[in-house]
Amino acid sequence: MSSVNTLGSTIDELTSIIAERANADSDKSYTAKLLQGDLDYLLKKIGEEATEVVMAAKDIDGGASNDQLRYEVVDLLYHLLVACERLGVSPDDLVAEIRGRF
């Protein structure tokens, strides 16, 4: 693990782990199951996680702590990165898209 724990380095590490799991046993790895299994299942998970982000944000607006929002955002980010890996969108592609919007 990198000694510098920035968001970028952490996402880099996570995307590497996701890529490594592409050929893992899907009975033993949730990530492998998402990468190898039914695409609709993965897409539904993204929809669920996005909804949970919205609900957590609404709770904060109602006075709750932001703990649940952080948790749900990370779940959504993970599932999005898995989808990108599965569908051939590289981390470099994402960086180029973000930088193109600056």
Side-chain angles (χ1 to χ4, degrees):
M1 185 167 167
S2 171
S3 62
V4 179
N5 290 316
T6 64
L7 179 60
S9 67
T10 303
I11 290 174
D12 282 346
E13 188 172 356
L14 178 57
T15 58
S16 292
I17 291 168
I18 290 168
E20 289 171 7
R21 302 273 164 87
N23 297 314
D25 183 348
S26 63
D27 290 331
K28 296 180 180 177
S29 168
Y30 177 64
T31 302
K33 178 182 175 183
L34 293 173
L35 290 168
Q36 300 166 16
D38 183 33
L39 179 60
D40 284 346
Y41 178 79
L42 172 56
L43 299 176
K44 287 176 186 175
K45 286 300 296 179
I46 291 170
E48 281 176 31
E49 298 302 340
T51 299
E52 290 171 2
V53 167
V54 170
M55 292 174 7
K58 289 292 286 181
D59 288 345
I60 292 171
D61 192 46
S65 77
N66 66 9
D67 293 346
Q68 192 64 32
L69 179 60
R70 288 194 315 261
Y71 182 89
E72 299 302 347
V73 165
V74 169
D75 275 357
L76 176 58
L77 179 58
Y78 161 77
H79 285 89
L80 289 170
L81 291 172
V82 171
C84 286
E85 173 68 25
R86 179 171 176 157
L87 299 170
V89 178
S90 75
D92 289 342
D93 294 335
L94 298 174
V95 169
E97 182 64 30
I98 292 168
R99 291 204 140 318
R101 295 180 182 205
F102 285 169

